[in-house]
């Protein structure tokens, strides 16, 4: 159980005991499998969300760059208009 607390979910118990202890060990092993699966699912979700955030960040940075360029062009046009007015 100490190893599981440390994040090692591959640990399994031998079922060489009497009925009550064997059932406890079987339950422990089942719990370890579920924890391992849950952790893997969570890691996949974190990876997917991270990829989504990175993609959105690239889109936002691209839009920000375009806005900066548009503002620069607007200022240039305003200067030309005021120069000829």
């Amino acid at each position: 159980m100490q190893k599981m607390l440390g994040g090692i979910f591959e640990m399994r118990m031998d079922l060489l005991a009497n009925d009550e202890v064997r059932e406890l060990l079987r339950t422990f092993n089942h719990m370890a499998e579920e924890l391992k699966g849950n952790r893997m699912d969570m890691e996949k979700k974190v990876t997917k969300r991270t990829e989504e955030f990175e993609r959105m960040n690239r889109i936002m940075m691209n839009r920000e760059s375009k806005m900066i360029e548009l503002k620069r062009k607007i200022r240039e046009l305003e200067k030309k208009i005021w120069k000829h007015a």
Side-chain angles (χ1 to χ4, degrees):
M1 285 191 224
Q2 292 297 323
K3 288 183 180 182
M4 286 182 69
L5 285 172
I8 301 171
F9 299 111
E10 289 75 24
M11 186 70 187
R12 299 297 176 270
M13 305 297 293
D14 291 325
L15 303 176
L16 303 175
N18 65 36
D19 289 341
E20 290 175 354
V21 175
R22 184 178 299 124
E23 186 59 33
L24 176 64
L25 296 175
R26 188 175 290 129
T27 302
F28 174 86
N29 289 343
H30 178 73
M31 179 183 65
E33 283 297 318
E34 284 192 10
L35 287 172
K36 182 179 177 184
N38 289 343
R39 183 175 188 154
M40 290 172 61
D41 288 344
M42 183 174 35
E43 288 174 359
K44 287 178 186 177
K45 287 178 183 177
V46 167
T47 299
K48 183 178 178 182
R49 291 284 182 179
T50 299
E51 289 169 356
E52 289 173 5
F53 284 131
E54 288 173 349
R55 184 179 64 82
M56 292 302 293
N57 189 46
R58 284 190 300 273
I59 290 170
M60 295 301 290
M61 294 299 289
N62 187 31
R63 287 182 180 171
E64 180 69 20
S65 295
K66 288 179 180 179
M67 290 298 293
I68 290 170
E69 181 63 21
L70 285 171
K71 288 178 181 179
R72 185 186 64 77
K73 288 180 180 183
I74 289 170
R75 281 193 302 274
E76 288 175 6
L77 287 171
E78 286 175 339
K79 286 180 185 178
K80 286 181 181 179
I81 290 171
W82 286 107
K83 191 176 191 180
H84 294 293

